[in-house]
Amino acid sequence: MAWLNLHTPTVMVIAPAIVLFVWQYSASKRRTAYRVNIRLDRLHRSLELYAAATGALLREAGTADGLSPAEHATLVDKLLACKAAPYVTEDLLAQITAYMMDEQDGTRRTLLLRTLERETERLMEERSLLLRRSEKPGWGWMIVQQIQHALPFFFTVCLFILVVWLHGSLNPSEQMEDERWAALYVWSRFLSCLFSLLVVYPFLRGGYRRTASSWLQRWLAVTIALAALLHLAGGLTWAPYILTLQLLIFLAGFRFNRSKPRRSRPFVGHYFEEDELSLLKEQISDLPDHDTDQR
């Protein structure tokens, strides 16, 4: 009781908030470092498998008489191991399968080598970016990292404020007696703001690998979050419509981000543009062991 009398309520609120901020900030840094190490380990494992398979394919391409049975078995093992690479793509899986079905076709070997080289370069760029951001971050990225580590605390504060507002708004003494739909409006605004926080928070935290639809997903999340700002412009009666708008944007994301059907994807041997494929054919025709028979 004496301690409570000596400390004001403001100090009693600020002190736990500081402790919570330090704990969440430290935990965020540990999780980020652990996640980066996991990604680097997966990248290193994938690059090792790709390098081994590329070396074996190059030895086969440079040998006029072909590989010995032991070397051929080693090549097959290395190609099959690439299928288990953490970051293997559907393109590479299809190229490996096509090559295994017709190992005597020099064109398929060349396509497979090109695919392996392209995937290796992409993973090397990703690894270099991770190392640069974690070990030699620039001034701007350093500030972004500090903000990201502080986001869990601000997310917790927003949730606390939102719950306090909900509790106060649902108090019967605070509601207008002639408003029949007051509870619906209050819950709609609460769910709208909570939904915005849950959608935009993972993208603000970052840490995900970039994909073809990453930017679209981020813009959809930002749009949903910006829609919640309409509560500031409109009254409480707008809340159900704003929540409906956010749900429609969220459902539209499934339409824009769905994967292509299998029949619309490029089939084996057609993973390049026309100009790139014509250049590749010219390079293949210059190989000494190229078979010019059309199949």
Side-chain angles (χ1 to χ4, degrees), residues 140-215:
W141 183 250
M142 185 182 300
I143 299 299
V144 170
Q145 283 182 325
Q146 306 311 315
I147 295 175
Q148 287 181 342
H149 295 325
L151 283 177
F153 174 76
F154 291 111
F155 181 76
T156 304
V157 171
C158 291
L159 285 180
F160 177 77
I161 295 174
L162 193 58
V163 171
V164 170
W165 174 85
L166 176 66
H167 181 268
S169 300
L170 290 179
N171 189 351
S173 62
E174 300 293 335
Q175 296 181 8
M176 294 183 299
E177 295 181 357
D178 58 344
E179 184 59 68
R180 298 178 53 188
W181 304 100
L184 173 63
Y185 298 151
V186 170
W187 277 105
S188 296
R189 176 174 289 186
F190 171 78
L191 292 176
S192 174
C193 296
L194 179 63
F195 181 59
S196 301
L197 290 175
L198 294 177
V199 170
V200 78
Y201 176 74
F203 292 96
L204 293 178
R205 285 283 293 143
Y208 295 102
R209 300 185 71 233
R210 294 179 181 178
T211 61
S213 59
S214 294
W215 285 107

Side-chain angles (χ1 to χ4, degrees), residues 75-76 79-80 83 95-103:
L75 172 61
V76 172
L79 290 177
L80 293 177
K83 290 188 173 184
Q95 295 287 1
I96 293 175
T97 301
Y99 174 79
M100 298 291 291
M101 294 175 62
D102 190 1
E103 299 179 8

Side-chain angles (χ1 to χ4, degrees), residues 87-98:
Y87 290 144
V88 65
T89 60
E90 293 185 2
D91 188 1
L92 182 56
L93 288 174
Q95 295 287 1
I96 293 175
T97 301

Side-chain angles (χ1 to χ4, degrees), residues 2-291:
W3 185 87
L4 293 176
N5 293 329
L6 291 175
H7 296 81
T8 63
T10 303
V11 175
M12 295 177 60
V13 172
I14 293 178
I18 293 176
V19 174
L20 179 63
F21 173 78
V22 172
W23 175 72
Q24 289 189 321
Y25 187 89
S26 303
S28 176
K29 292 191 68 174
R30 290 194 299 269
R31 286 195 300 268
T32 301
Y34 176 76
R35 188 162 48 191
V36 169
N37 290 333
I38 291 295
R39 286 182 59 184
L40 287 174
D41 181 70
R42 291 173 179 173
L43 288 169
H44 179 70
R45 177 60 178 164
S46 299
L47 287 172
E48 279 189 333
L49 295 175
Y50 293 171
T54 301
L57 285 171
L58 289 175
R59 284 193 296 271
E60 182 188 38
T63 304
D65 299 333
L67 299 177
S68 64
E71 292 175 334
H72 180 265
T74 302
L75 172 61
V76 172
D77 291 340
K78 291 179 178 180
L79 290 177
L80 293 177
C82 286
K83 290 188 173 184
Y87 290 144
V88 65
T89 60
E90 293 185 2
D91 188 1
L92 182 56
L93 288 174
Q95 295 287 1
I96 293 175
T97 301
Y99 174 79
M100 298 291 291
M101 294 175 62
D102 190 1
E103 299 179 8
Q104 303 301 323
D105 191 351
T107 303
R108 295 197 182 278
R109 181 175 63 243
T110 304
L111 289 173
L112 178 56
L113 276 171
R114 287 296 181 89
T115 304
L116 279 171
E117 291 174 358
R118 184 175 66 249
E119 294 298 326
T120 299
E121 292 177 358
R122 182 179 61 83
L123 294 183
M124 289 178 64
E125 291 177 359
E126 183 177 351
R127 185 182 62 178
S128 299
L129 179 62
L130 282 177
L131 290 174
R132 184 169 64 252
R133 287 183 172 181
S134 59
E135 297 182 355
K136 297 185 298 182
W139 173 252
W141 183 250
M142 185 182 300
I143 299 299
V144 170
Q145 283 182 325
Q146 306 311 315
I147 295 175
Q148 287 181 342
H149 295 325
L151 283 177
F153 174 76
F154 291 111
F155 181 76
T156 304
V157 171
C158 291
L159 285 180
F160 177 77
I161 295 174
L162 193 58
V163 171
V164 170
W165 174 85
L166 176 66
H167 181 268
S169 300
L170 290 179
N171 189 351
S173 62
E174 300 293 335
Q175 296 181 8
M176 294 183 299
E177 295 181 357
D178 58 344
E179 184 59 68
R180 298 178 53 188
W181 304 100
L184 173 63
Y185 298 151
V186 170
W187 277 105
S188 296
R189 176 174 289 186
F190 171 78
L191 292 176
S192 174
C193 296
L194 179 63
F195 181 59
S196 301
L197 290 175
L198 294 177
V199 170
V200 78
Y201 176 74
F203 292 96
L204 293 178
R205 285 283 293 143
Y208 295 102
R209 300 185 71 233
R210 294 179 181 178
T211 61
S213 59
S214 294
W215 285 107
L216 178 59
Q217 293 175 0
R218 181 166 299 181
W219 278 112
L220 287 173
V222 171
T223 304
I224 292 174
L226 291 177
L229 297 179
L230 296 175
H231 292 293
L232 302 177
L236 195 60
T237 56
W238 288 27
Y241 304 102
I242 296 174
L243 178 60
T244 302
L245 175 62
Q246 291 175 316
L247 292 177
L248 290 177
I249 297 174
F250 178 77
L251 294 176
F254 291 101
R255 172 65 178 83
F256 295 135
N257 287 280
R258 67 181 183 180
S259 58
K260 294 182 180 180
R262 186 65 186 92
R263 62 183 179 182
S264 66
R265 298 176 190 171
F267 50 90
V268 177
H270 294 260
Y271 291 89
F272 302 94
E273 301 294 337
E274 293 183 0
D275 54 346
E276 185 179 357
L277 188 58
S278 60
L279 178 61
L280 180 61
K281 289 181 178 179
E282 294 178 1
Q283 295 176 352
I284 293 174
S285 62
D286 295 336
L287 294 177
D289 58 344
H290 176 64
D291 185 6

